[in-house]
Amino acid sequence: MSKFEEFWNTNKIKPATTAATAAGLRDLFRSSRLSLLVLGSALALWFFYLTCTTYIGPGEFGIKQVLYSPFGLFGPMGTQNTIYETGIHHQFPTMEKILRFPKTIQVLTMRDDPDTKQKVTETISATDERFTRLVKAAYIQTSDGFYVKMDASILYAIEDPVKLVNRVGAGKLYEDNGILPVAENAIKVRLGTLQPEDFFDAKIRTAKLDEARDLMNEKLLPMGLKVKHVLARYPHLHPDVAARVEENNMQKQTKLLNVSLTAQAAAEAELAKVVNEGTAAKGVALQKGKAYQIQRASEKELYERTKKAEGDKIRKVAEARKAELLNEAYRGGGSDMMVGMKMAGVLTNLETILVSAGGPNAFNPLDVQSVMKLFSIGSTNLTTAP
């Protein structure tokens, strides 16, 4: 037996094993066919997405151009008026094309400083160069014939992409054929009416920049563009022109200084006048206050004296009335007895008294009438007790 026959007999497949293997191969073929079907469908969908759809991202809008429309199936050829917002939109390849445009603010920067230009270009490349365009600075001829180089930035946005494509074209043509020539010309026209020193006056410069913005919008709005702001900075003058401007500024500053000093002197004189008038008014008010104080004090003193005199008068009248009433009481009935009683009270304080003890005028303390007669007390009608 040869080695091949021996190997075949050893490794030949048994019938049962052959049936199981065939069943496995059929299952594998079925699953593979299903996987291939799913994979083919996914590839077809992916190919459809890449060729037949366009994604418009946030901050963008788009318009559709019909490149070829057999039998008018895709509408009239050319730019359509429908504006597509953010989302996935259908297009037929080679027959339709959706043009995308940014709806956010875009910047046109005019400057030609080499170092700064390189830095700005690197920054733009690092972020999104679709929204920023860097060109040379604007050279403006002033009203007196001198040139001023000035950096400027124009902030604008696309208002109507349909007008933009119909008037200017697709892609970036709105920069080269739209905003760039219009912006540079408007800046030169409006700021060219200034003198070199006016570029350093913020109010004058800002007013002219607003005029340049309005002039740009007159020409750009029909194209579908609108300028939001025009910013200018860093005016560069020739050294001779800068010296002349500095001299003129010194003269203007000196004139303004003299005007300010004159105004200050006038203000100080007015202040002194007001202070003097205030001091005089204060003195008059103090004198009026003192006079009023003296008047009120005099009125108070007069009032006190008047009331005191009235009180004294009333008191004296009362005392006189009291004395009169006492006198009347003394002259009335029983007055002699009262006098005698007072005399008796006086006699009680005497330690020694000499009286006659005999004769017709002898002192008899028991005889009240004789005692009264002795002391020269008027006659009375008193009678002695029995």
Side-chain angles (χ1 to χ4, degrees), residues 118-143:
Q118 183 178 0
K119 294 179 181 178
V120 173
T121 304
E122 293 176 356
T123 305
I124 292 174
S125 301
T127 54
D128 193 350
E129 61 181 4
R130 294 182 304 163
F131 303 136
T132 306
R133 176 73 178 271
L134 184 64
V135 296
K136 292 183 179 181
Y139 286 81
I140 303 168
Q141 186 177 10
T142 60
S143 58

Side-chain angles (χ1 to χ4, degrees), residues 105-110 131-133 135 138 151-157 179-180 182-184 187 209 212-213 216-217 220 226-233:
I105 296 294
Q106 301 184 71
V107 182
L108 174 63
T109 300
M110 300 180 178
F131 303 136
T132 306
R133 176 73 178 271
V135 296
D151 298 343
S153 293
I154 295 91
L155 280 66
Y156 67 99
I179 185 67
L180 183 57
V182 173
E184 186 175 2
I187 289 177
L209 290 174
R213 178 199 61 198
M216 294 178 197
N217 286 328
L220 293 176
K226 183 177 181 180
V227 176
K228 305 292 185 179
H229 301 283
V230 179
L231 309 175
R233 57 197 179 277

Side-chain angles (χ1 to χ4, degrees), residues 147-375:
Y147 282 91
V148 177
K149 183 181 70 172
M150 187 177 65
D151 298 343
S153 293
I154 295 91
L155 280 66
Y156 67 99
I158 298 175
E159 293 284 324
D160 191 341
V162 178
K163 291 182 179 179
L164 186 66
V165 174
N166 291 333
R167 294 290 299 272
V168 181
K172 289 288 186 178
L173 292 178
Y174 65 87
E175 292 183 354
D176 297 327
N177 300 336
I179 185 67
L180 183 57
V182 173
E184 186 175 2
N185 181 67
I187 289 177
K188 290 182 178 181
V189 169
R190 292 308 183 204
L191 274 71
T193 59
L194 301 177
Q195 295 183 354
E197 55 270 19
D198 294 336
F199 283 85
F200 298 93
D201 191 326
K203 293 183 179 179
I204 298 176
R205 185 179 68 249
T206 303
K208 289 299 179 181
L209 290 174
D210 291 340
E211 293 179 6
R213 178 199 61 198
D214 297 337
L215 181 59
M216 294 178 197
N217 286 328
E218 290 179 5
K219 299 180 179 180
L220 293 176
L221 283 176
M223 301 180 187
L225 297 173
K226 183 177 181 180
V227 176
K228 305 292 185 179
H229 301 283
V230 179
L231 309 175
R233 57 197 179 277
Y234 309 134
H236 301 282
L237 305 178
H238 190 274
D240 297 337
V241 180
R244 197 196 74 169
V245 171
E246 184 178 358
E247 182 180 357
N248 291 338
N249 289 337
M250 289 297 296
Q251 293 177 359
K252 289 182 180 180
Q253 293 296 328
T254 303
K255 182 179 179 180
L256 292 176
L257 177 61
N258 294 332
V259 172
S260 299
L261 291 177
T262 303
Q264 181 181 358
E268 290 178 352
E270 185 68 20
L271 176 62
K273 178 181 177 182
V274 172
V275 171
N276 293 333
E277 291 177 354
T279 304
K282 176 183 176 182
V284 172
L286 290 175
Q287 292 297 328
K288 288 183 178 180
K290 290 181 180 179
Y292 180 77
Q293 183 181 4
I294 294 173
Q295 180 183 358
R296 298 300 294 175
S298 301
E299 292 176 356
K300 174 186 176 183
E301 184 179 357
L302 177 62
Y303 179 80
E304 289 179 350
R305 288 200 303 267
T306 301
K307 293 301 180 181
K308 185 177 180 181
E310 291 178 357
D312 293 342
K313 179 180 178 181
I314 293 173
R315 181 174 57 80
K316 290 180 180 179
V317 170
E319 291 178 352
R321 181 60 178 167
K322 174 184 176 182
E324 181 180 359
L325 291 175
L326 287 174
N327 293 333
E328 290 180 358
Y330 287 150
R331 288 194 297 269
S335 61
D336 293 339
M337 181 61 67
M338 184 179 66
V339 173
M341 292 177 65
K342 287 189 175 182
M343 283 301 301
V346 172
L347 292 177
T348 57
N349 294 326
L350 296 178
E351 294 181 357
T352 304
I353 184 171
L354 297 176
V355 294
S356 176
N361 295 323
F363 176 73
N364 185 4
L366 299 177
D367 188 358
V368 176
Q369 293 183 355
S370 62
V371 172
M372 293 176 63
K373 185 178 179 181
L374 177 64
F375 290 100

Side-chain angles (χ1 to χ4, degrees), residues 73-100:
L73 295 177
F74 301 101
M77 296 179 60
T79 304
Q80 305 299 312
N81 294 327
T82 303
I83 298 177
Y84 295 91
E85 299 294 338
T86 301
I88 299 175
H89 302 278
H90 175 266
Q91 66 177 7
F92 288 95
T94 70
M95 295 185 182
E96 294 178 330
K97 183 180 181 180
I98 295 180
L99 305 176
R100 296 181 302 170

Side-chain angles (χ1 to χ4, degrees), residues 16-76:
T17 305
T18 303
T21 302
L25 289 175
R26 285 195 301 270
D27 294 339
L28 178 62
F29 177 73
R30 290 174 182 173
S31 61
S32 300
R33 185 172 56 180
L34 181 61
S35 300
L36 290 175
L37 181 62
V38 172
L39 180 60
S41 300
L43 291 176
L45 290 175
W46 179 250
F47 179 77
F48 176 81
Y49 175 78
L50 292 178
T51 58
C52 299
T53 61
T54 296
Y55 174 69
I56 299 177
E60 293 181 333
F61 45 25
I63 59 173
K64 182 180 290 186
Q65 278 187 333
V66 178
L67 304 177
Y68 178 66
S69 179
F71 305 105
L73 295 177
F74 301 101

